[in-house]
């Protein structure tokens, strides 16, 4: 159950559709990736690996979206359903960002 939803802006990140899933039903999911760290090799300037490279230069330096407020129990359900967790099945790293 969504408690509240509002527009949000996260500076310093871009939306990247880099989490491969099950084509053709759901080919990939989006994630946040730091802006300006991508290299043509698929690596990033901070030494981590990026599975996506922007097709066009991304100069905005921010990602617009929706901030969805959930209860802790509902957040855990969403997190696990989208590949969060631990061990070999973990699909992504959970990070905390500042949203305006």
């Amino acid at each position: 159950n969504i408690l509240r939803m509002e527009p949000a802006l996260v500076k310093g990140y871009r939306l990247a559709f880099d989490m491969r899933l099950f084509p053709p039903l759901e080919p990939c999911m989006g994630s946040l990736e730091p802006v300006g760290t991508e290299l043509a090799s698929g690596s990033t300037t901070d030494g981590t690996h990026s599975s996506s490279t922007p097709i066009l230069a991304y100069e905005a330096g921010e990602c617009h979206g929706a901030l969805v407020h959930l209860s802790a129990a509902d957040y855990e359900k969403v997190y696990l359903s989208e590949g969060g967790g631990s061990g070999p099945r973990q699909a992504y790293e959970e990070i905390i960002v500042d949203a305006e």
Side-chain angles (χ1 to χ4, degrees):
N1 296 334
I2 295 174
L3 302 175
R4 193 170 78 244
M5 185 168 15
E6 58 190 284
L9 171 72
V10 177
K11 293 184 178 178
Y13 288 83
R14 69 180 181 93
L15 177 61
F17 290 95
D18 58 354
M19 295 178 62
R20 294 177 195 230
L21 288 176
F22 311 107
L25 298 175
E26 192 164 9
C28 62
M29 284 195 323
S31 66
L32 287 179
E33 191 164 273
V35 172
T37 61
E38 310 86 2
L39 302 173
S41 66
S43 295
T44 60
T45 56
D46 65 3
T48 60
H49 182 75
S50 172
S51 59
S52 71
T53 301
I55 296 171
L56 301 171
Y58 188 76
E59 297 175 11
E62 59 193 30
C63 183
H64 295 256
L67 182 58
V68 180
H69 298 262
L70 302 169
S71 69
D74 284 339
Y75 173 79
E76 186 71 13
K77 288 177 190 174
V78 171
Y79 177 67
L80 294 174
S81 75
E82 293 185 350
S86 61
R89 299 199 62 180
Q90 183 172 349
Y92 62 88
E93 176 186 355
E94 182 180 28
I95 63 170
I96 297 173
V97 296
D98 292 319
E100 298 176 6

